[in-house]
Short mmCIF file of all heavy atoms in Angstrom, two decimals:
data_model
loop_
_atom_site.label_atom_id
_atom_site.label_comp_id
_atom_site.label_asym_id
_atom_site.label_seq_id
_atom_site.Cartn_x
_atom_site.Cartn_y
_atom_site.Cartn_z
N ALA B 892 135.48 121.67 6.01
CA ALA B 892 135.36 121.08 4.65
C ALA B 892 134.33 121.90 3.86
O ALA B 892 134.55 122.19 2.66
CB ALA B 892 134.92 119.63 4.80
N TYR B 893 133.28 122.27 4.52
CA TYR B 893 132.28 123.08 3.82
C TYR B 893 132.84 124.40 3.32
O TYR B 893 132.68 124.73 2.15
CB TYR B 893 131.07 123.34 4.78
CG TYR B 893 130.04 124.28 4.19
CD1 TYR B 893 129.09 123.88 3.31
CD2 TYR B 893 130.07 125.63 4.60
CE1 TYR B 893 128.16 124.73 2.74
CE2 TYR B 893 129.11 126.49 4.06
CZ TYR B 893 128.21 126.09 3.11
OH TYR B 893 127.30 127.00 2.60
N LEU B 894 133.58 125.08 4.23
CA LEU B 894 134.15 126.39 3.85
C LEU B 894 135.13 126.17 2.66
O LEU B 894 135.14 126.97 1.80
CB LEU B 894 134.91 126.98 5.05
CG LEU B 894 134.02 127.56 6.13
CD1 LEU B 894 134.82 127.99 7.30
CD2 LEU B 894 133.18 128.79 5.60
N PHE B 895 135.99 125.15 2.79
CA PHE B 895 137.06 125.03 1.81
C PHE B 895 136.63 124.41 0.47
O PHE B 895 137.35 124.40 -0.48
CB PHE B 895 138.27 124.33 2.42
CG PHE B 895 139.09 125.18 3.26
CD1 PHE B 895 138.99 125.12 4.64
CD2 PHE B 895 139.94 126.15 2.77
CE1 PHE B 895 139.76 125.93 5.45
CE2 PHE B 895 140.70 126.96 3.54
CZ PHE B 895 140.62 126.86 4.91
N VAL B 896 135.36 123.78 0.47
CA VAL B 896 134.90 123.28 -0.80
C VAL B 896 133.86 124.25 -1.37
O VAL B 896 134.07 124.75 -2.48
CB VAL B 896 134.26 121.91 -0.55
CG1 VAL B 896 133.64 121.40 -1.89
CG2 VAL B 896 135.35 120.85 -0.11
N ARG B 897 132.82 124.55 -0.62
CA ARG B 897 131.78 125.38 -1.12
C ARG B 897 132.09 126.83 -1.24
O ARG B 897 131.68 127.58 -2.06
CB ARG B 897 130.50 125.14 -0.36
CG ARG B 897 129.86 123.78 -0.54
CD ARG B 897 129.30 123.78 -2.00
NE ARG B 897 128.97 122.41 -2.41
CZ ARG B 897 127.79 121.83 -2.12
NH1 ARG B 897 126.93 122.45 -1.36
NH2 ARG B 897 127.54 120.64 -2.51
N ARG B 898 132.75 127.29 -0.17
CA ARG B 898 133.16 128.72 -0.08
C ARG B 898 134.62 128.92 -0.34
O ARG B 898 135.17 129.80 0.25
CB ARG B 898 132.76 129.25 1.27
CG ARG B 898 131.29 129.16 1.64
CD ARG B 898 130.61 130.37 1.12
NE ARG B 898 129.16 130.35 1.40
CZ ARG B 898 128.22 129.69 0.61
NH1 ARG B 898 128.62 129.04 -0.50
NH2 ARG B 898 126.97 129.73 0.95
N ARG B 899 135.17 128.16 -1.27
CA ARG B 899 136.60 128.18 -1.39
C ARG B 899 137.10 129.53 -1.92
O ARG B 899 138.09 130.06 -1.44
CB ARG B 899 136.98 127.09 -2.41
CG ARG B 899 138.51 126.78 -2.37
CD ARG B 899 138.81 125.53 -2.97
NE ARG B 899 140.33 125.40 -3.05
CZ ARG B 899 140.92 124.40 -3.74
NH1 ARG B 899 140.17 123.48 -4.38
NH2 ARG B 899 142.16 124.33 -3.80
N ARG B 900 136.36 130.15 -2.88
CA ARG B 900 136.85 131.45 -3.38
C ARG B 900 136.81 132.47 -2.20
O ARG B 900 137.72 133.30 -2.15
CB ARG B 900 135.94 131.88 -4.54
CG ARG B 900 135.98 130.91 -5.68
CD ARG B 900 135.89 131.67 -7.03
NE ARG B 900 136.14 130.75 -8.11
CZ ARG B 900 137.29 130.36 -8.57
NH1 ARG B 900 138.40 130.94 -7.99
NH2 ARG B 900 137.43 129.51 -9.50
N ARG B 901 135.75 132.44 -1.47
CA ARG B 901 135.65 133.41 -0.32
C ARG B 901 136.82 133.27 0.57
O ARG B 901 137.48 134.26 1.03
CB ARG B 901 134.38 133.18 0.46
CG ARG B 901 133.14 133.71 -0.24
CD ARG B 901 133.15 135.21 -0.19
NE ARG B 901 132.57 135.78 1.04
CZ ARG B 901 131.28 135.73 1.34
NH1 ARG B 901 130.40 135.15 0.59
NH2 ARG B 901 130.90 136.27 2.48
N MET B 902 137.25 132.01 0.89
CA MET B 902 138.34 131.77 1.78
C MET B 902 139.64 132.34 1.16
O MET B 902 140.51 132.88 1.82
CB MET B 902 138.53 130.27 2.04
CG MET B 902 137.37 129.59 2.77
SD MET B 902 137.02 130.38 4.38
CE MET B 902 138.48 129.88 5.31
N GLU B 903 139.74 132.13 -0.19
CA GLU B 903 140.95 132.64 -0.85
C GLU B 903 140.99 134.12 -0.86
O GLU B 903 142.09 134.74 -0.76
CB GLU B 903 141.06 132.07 -2.27
CG GLU B 903 141.66 130.60 -2.21
CD GLU B 903 141.35 129.86 -3.46
OE1 GLU B 903 140.68 130.37 -4.38
OE2 GLU B 903 141.86 128.75 -3.61
N GLU B 904 139.80 134.77 -1.06
CA GLU B 904 139.73 136.20 -1.01
C GLU B 904 140.19 136.71 0.44
O GLU B 904 140.97 137.64 0.54
CB GLU B 904 138.38 136.76 -1.26
CG GLU B 904 138.08 136.82 -2.78
CD GLU B 904 136.59 136.91 -3.07
OE1 GLU B 904 135.88 137.39 -2.20
OE2 GLU B 904 136.16 136.50 -4.15
N LEU B 905 139.71 135.95 1.41
CA LEU B 905 140.06 136.32 2.82
C LEU B 905 141.61 136.24 3.00
O LEU B 905 142.19 137.15 3.62
CB LEU B 905 139.41 135.30 3.75
CG LEU B 905 139.38 135.66 5.19
CD1 LEU B 905 138.41 136.82 5.43
CD2 LEU B 905 138.91 134.49 6.05
N GLU B 906 142.21 135.26 2.38
CA GLU B 906 143.62 135.15 2.48
C GLU B 906 144.32 136.26 1.84
O GLU B 906 145.32 136.76 2.33
CB GLU B 906 144.01 133.76 1.90
CG GLU B 906 145.32 133.24 2.36
CD GLU B 906 145.67 131.88 1.73
OE1 GLU B 906 144.88 130.98 1.90
OE2 GLU B 906 146.73 131.76 1.04
N ARG B 907 143.82 136.67 0.66
CA ARG B 907 144.46 137.79 -0.10
C ARG B 907 144.26 139.08 0.68
O ARG B 907 145.12 140.01 0.54
CB ARG B 907 143.92 137.85 -1.47
CG ARG B 907 144.63 136.97 -2.45
CD ARG B 907 144.28 137.25 -3.88
NE ARG B 907 142.93 136.89 -4.22
CZ ARG B 907 142.59 135.69 -4.61
NH1 ARG B 907 143.49 134.79 -4.80
NH2 ARG B 907 141.30 135.41 -4.92
N ALA B 908 143.16 139.17 1.44
CA ALA B 908 142.91 140.42 2.14
C ALA B 908 143.92 140.66 3.26
O ALA B 908 144.19 141.79 3.64
CB ALA B 908 141.47 140.41 2.69
N PHE B 909 144.42 139.60 3.80
CA PHE B 909 145.44 139.76 4.84
C PHE B 909 146.76 139.08 4.40
O PHE B 909 147.18 138.03 4.96
CB PHE B 909 144.96 139.05 6.17
CG PHE B 909 143.68 139.71 6.66
CD1 PHE B 909 142.44 139.08 6.42
CD2 PHE B 909 143.74 140.92 7.33
CE1 PHE B 909 141.32 139.62 6.88
CE2 PHE B 909 142.55 141.48 7.81
CZ PHE B 909 141.33 140.87 7.59
N PRO B 910 147.40 139.65 3.45
CA PRO B 910 148.58 138.92 2.87
C PRO B 910 149.71 138.74 3.86
O PRO B 910 150.33 137.69 3.83
CB PRO B 910 149.03 139.92 1.71
CG PRO B 910 148.47 141.26 2.11
CD PRO B 910 147.19 140.99 2.84
N ARG B 911 149.90 139.67 4.78
CA ARG B 911 151.03 139.51 5.72
C ARG B 911 150.74 138.41 6.74
O ARG B 911 151.59 137.57 6.96
CB ARG B 911 151.26 140.83 6.46
CG ARG B 911 151.51 141.97 5.50
CD ARG B 911 151.99 143.20 6.28
NE ARG B 911 153.43 143.11 6.55
CZ ARG B 911 154.07 144.16 7.09
NH1 ARG B 911 153.40 145.21 7.47
NH2 ARG B 911 155.37 144.07 7.28
N ALA B 912 149.55 138.34 7.20
CA ALA B 912 149.16 137.27 8.09
C ALA B 912 149.29 135.95 7.39
O ALA B 912 149.86 135.00 7.96
CB ALA B 912 147.73 137.47 8.65
N ALA B 913 148.82 135.90 6.14
CA ALA B 913 148.91 134.56 5.43
C ALA B 913 150.35 134.15 5.22
O ALA B 913 150.69 133.01 5.45
CB ALA B 913 148.24 134.77 4.05
N ALA B 914 151.22 135.22 4.83
CA ALA B 914 152.61 134.84 4.61
C ALA B 914 153.27 134.40 5.94
O ALA B 914 154.10 133.53 5.95
CB ALA B 914 153.35 136.07 4.07
N PHE B 915 152.85 135.06 7.03
CA PHE B 915 153.43 134.69 8.34
C PHE B 915 153.12 133.29 8.75
O PHE B 915 154.02 132.52 9.14
CB PHE B 915 152.80 135.67 9.38
CG PHE B 915 153.38 135.52 10.77
CD1 PHE B 915 154.74 135.87 10.98
CD2 PHE B 915 152.67 135.01 11.82
CE1 PHE B 915 155.19 135.73 12.30
CE2 PHE B 915 153.11 134.86 13.11
CZ PHE B 915 154.44 135.23 13.35
N LEU B 916 151.84 132.86 8.45
CA LEU B 916 151.51 131.48 8.71
C LEU B 916 152.28 130.55 7.77
O LEU B 916 152.78 129.49 8.20
CB LEU B 916 150.00 131.27 8.54
CG LEU B 916 149.12 131.60 9.68
CD1 LEU B 916 147.66 131.20 9.33
CD2 LEU B 916 149.58 130.91 10.97
N ALA B 917 152.26 130.91 6.53
CA ALA B 917 152.92 130.02 5.52
C ALA B 917 154.39 129.82 5.77
O ALA B 917 154.92 128.73 5.52
CB ALA B 917 152.68 130.61 4.11
N ASP B 918 155.02 130.83 6.31
CA ASP B 918 156.44 130.72 6.64
C ASP B 918 156.70 129.99 7.93
O ASP B 918 157.78 130.02 8.48
CB ASP B 918 157.11 132.12 6.70
CG ASP B 918 157.22 132.70 5.31
OD1 ASP B 918 156.99 131.94 4.35
OD2 ASP B 918 157.59 133.91 5.22
N GLY B 919 155.69 129.52 8.59
CA GLY B 919 155.84 128.95 9.94
C GLY B 919 156.29 129.99 10.90
O GLY B 919 157.24 129.75 11.64
N PHE B 920 155.59 131.08 10.95
CA PHE B 920 155.82 132.20 11.84
C PHE B 920 157.25 132.85 11.63
O PHE B 920 157.87 133.40 12.50
CB PHE B 920 155.82 131.74 13.34
CG PHE B 920 154.42 131.32 13.76
CD1 PHE B 920 153.50 131.01 12.82
CD2 PHE B 920 154.18 131.11 15.11
CE1 PHE B 920 152.20 130.56 13.25
CE2 PHE B 920 152.89 130.67 15.52
CZ PHE B 920 151.97 130.34 14.63
N GLY B 921 157.73 132.74 10.38
CA GLY B 921 159.02 133.39 10.02
C GLY B 921 160.23 132.87 10.83
O GLY B 921 161.20 133.55 10.93
N LEU B 922 160.19 131.60 11.19
CA LEU B 922 161.30 131.08 11.98
C LEU B 922 162.56 130.96 11.17
O LEU B 922 163.64 131.13 11.61
CB LEU B 922 160.95 129.75 12.59
CG LEU B 922 160.23 129.80 13.93
CD1 LEU B 922 160.05 128.43 14.55
CD2 LEU B 922 161.09 130.63 14.93
N ASP B 923 162.33 130.63 9.89
CA ASP B 923 163.54 130.49 9.02
C ASP B 923 164.29 131.81 8.91
O ASP B 923 165.52 131.86 8.93
CB ASP B 923 163.10 130.08 7.58
CG ASP B 923 162.94 128.56 7.51
OD1 ASP B 923 163.69 127.88 8.33
OD2 ASP B 923 162.13 128.04 6.72
N LYS B 924 163.49 132.87 8.76
CA LYS B 924 164.17 134.22 8.70
C LYS B 924 164.89 134.53 10.00
O LYS B 924 165.93 135.07 9.93
CB LYS B 924 163.13 135.28 8.36
CG LYS B 924 162.70 135.28 6.93
CD LYS B 924 161.65 136.32 6.61
CE LYS B 924 161.12 136.06 5.26
NZ LYS B 924 159.63 136.23 5.25
N LEU B 925 164.23 134.18 11.12
CA LEU B 925 164.87 134.41 12.40
C LEU B 925 166.20 133.66 12.54
O LEU B 925 167.22 134.13 12.98
CB LEU B 925 163.88 133.94 13.50
CG LEU B 925 164.14 134.60 14.84
CD1 LEU B 925 163.88 136.09 14.86
CD2 LEU B 925 163.32 133.89 15.92
N ASN B 926 166.14 132.37 12.02
CA ASN B 926 167.34 131.55 12.03
C ASN B 926 168.46 132.18 11.23
O ASN B 926 169.60 132.24 11.71
CB ASN B 926 167.03 130.14 11.51
CG ASN B 926 166.58 129.25 12.59
OD1 ASN B 926 166.74 129.40 13.76
ND2 ASN B 926 165.91 128.12 12.15
N ALA B 927 168.08 132.62 10.08
CA ALA B 927 169.04 133.22 9.20
C ALA B 927 169.68 134.51 9.88
O ALA B 927 170.84 134.71 9.85
CB ALA B 927 168.40 133.67 7.89
N LEU B 928 168.74 135.26 10.52
CA LEU B 928 169.22 136.48 11.15
C LEU B 928 170.12 136.21 12.35
O LEU B 928 171.14 136.83 12.51
CB LEU B 928 168.00 137.27 11.57
CG LEU B 928 168.26 138.71 12.00
CD1 LEU B 928 168.63 139.51 10.77
CD2 LEU B 928 167.04 139.27 12.70
N LEU B 929 169.69 135.26 13.16
CA LEU B 929 170.42 135.09 14.42
C LEU B 929 171.54 134.07 14.39
O LEU B 929 172.44 134.13 15.14
CB LEU B 929 169.40 134.61 15.54
CG LEU B 929 168.35 135.61 15.90
CD1 LEU B 929 167.43 135.06 16.95
CD2 LEU B 929 169.05 136.90 16.39
N LEU B 930 171.41 133.08 13.45
CA LEU B 930 172.45 132.01 13.43
C LEU B 930 173.28 131.99 12.18
O LEU B 930 174.48 132.14 12.17
CB LEU B 930 171.76 130.68 13.61
CG LEU B 930 171.12 130.52 14.98
CD1 LEU B 930 170.29 129.19 15.07
CD2 LEU B 930 172.11 130.50 16.09
N ALA B 931 172.60 131.80 11.00
CA ALA B 931 173.37 131.54 9.75
C ALA B 931 174.20 132.71 9.38
O ALA B 931 175.40 132.57 9.10
CB ALA B 931 172.34 131.18 8.70
N THR B 932 173.59 133.90 9.38
CA THR B 932 174.40 135.10 8.96
C THR B 932 175.54 135.37 9.87
O THR B 932 176.67 135.58 9.44
CB THR B 932 173.48 136.31 8.76
OG1 THR B 932 172.30 135.89 8.05
CG2 THR B 932 174.19 137.44 8.07
N PRO B 933 175.31 135.44 11.20
CA PRO B 933 176.49 135.63 12.09
C PRO B 933 177.53 134.54 11.92
O PRO B 933 178.77 134.87 11.97
CB PRO B 933 175.85 135.53 13.51
CG PRO B 933 174.44 135.89 13.30
CD PRO B 933 174.04 135.36 11.98
N LEU B 934 177.16 133.34 11.75
CA LEU B 934 178.13 132.27 11.55
C LEU B 934 178.99 132.51 10.31
O LEU B 934 180.22 132.45 10.36
CB LEU B 934 177.43 130.90 11.42
CG LEU B 934 178.37 129.69 11.36
CD1 LEU B 934 179.09 129.46 12.71
CD2 LEU B 934 177.69 128.44 10.89
N ARG B 935 178.25 132.86 9.26
CA ARG B 935 178.99 133.16 7.99
C ARG B 935 179.93 134.35 8.17
O ARG B 935 181.08 134.40 7.68
CB ARG B 935 178.03 133.39 6.82
CG ARG B 935 178.45 132.54 5.60
CD ARG B 935 177.38 132.59 4.59
NE ARG B 935 176.18 131.91 5.05
CZ ARG B 935 174.88 132.27 4.81
NH1 ARG B 935 174.74 133.43 4.15
NH2 ARG B 935 173.84 131.60 5.25
N GLY B 936 179.40 135.31 8.92
CA GLY B 936 180.19 136.56 9.13
C GLY B 936 181.44 136.21 10.00
O GLY B 936 182.57 136.60 9.66
N ALA B 937 181.24 135.39 11.01
CA ALA B 937 182.33 135.01 11.89
C ALA B 937 183.42 134.23 11.01
O ALA B 937 184.60 134.41 11.21
CB ALA B 937 181.91 134.16 13.05
N ALA B 938 182.91 133.40 10.17
CA ALA B 938 183.82 132.59 9.31
C ALA B 938 184.63 133.52 8.45
O ALA B 938 185.88 133.37 8.33
CB ALA B 938 183.00 131.53 8.48
N ARG B 939 183.95 134.47 7.81
CA ARG B 939 184.73 135.37 6.92
C ARG B 939 185.71 136.20 7.67
O ARG B 939 186.79 136.40 7.24
CB ARG B 939 183.72 136.29 6.16
CG ARG B 939 182.89 135.56 5.16
CD ARG B 939 182.68 136.37 3.96
NE ARG B 939 181.80 135.58 3.04
CZ ARG B 939 180.48 135.81 3.04
NH1 ARG B 939 179.94 136.77 3.72
NH2 ARG B 939 179.73 135.06 2.26
N PHE B 940 185.27 136.67 8.85
CA PHE B 940 186.15 137.51 9.68
C PHE B 940 187.33 136.69 10.05
O PHE B 940 188.49 137.20 9.96
CB PHE B 940 185.37 138.02 10.88
CG PHE B 940 186.18 138.91 11.79
CD1 PHE B 940 186.42 140.24 11.42
CD2 PHE B 940 186.71 138.39 12.95
CE1 PHE B 940 187.21 141.00 12.20
CE2 PHE B 940 187.48 139.23 13.78
CZ PHE B 940 187.70 140.54 13.39
N SER B 941 187.10 135.41 10.50
CA SER B 941 188.23 134.59 10.92
C SER B 941 189.21 134.38 9.79
O SER B 941 190.45 134.46 9.92
CB SER B 941 187.75 133.24 11.44
OG SER B 941 186.82 133.40 12.46
N ALA B 942 188.64 134.12 8.62
CA ALA B 942 189.53 133.78 7.44
C ALA B 942 190.26 135.02 6.94
O ALA B 942 191.44 134.97 6.73
CB ALA B 942 188.64 133.20 6.35
#
Side-chain angles (χ1 to χ4, degrees):
Chain B
Y893 173 80
L894 285 173
F895 282 101
V896 174
R897 287 293 167 83
R898 299 275 179 272
R899 194 163 173 188
R900 298 215 173 276
R901 284 289 276 287
M902 296 303 290
E903 279 163 353
E904 279 163 26
L905 195 70
E906 204 178 300
R907 274 194 290 273
F909 300 100
R911 302 189 83 173
F915 185 68
L916 276 186
D918 288 350
F920 298 11
L922 273 184
D923 276 331
K924 281 180 194 134
L925 200 68
N926 272 342
L928 191 72
L929 293 181
L930 296 173
T932 313
L934 184 71
R935 229 169 294 140
R939 288 218 185 98
F940 181 76
S941 305

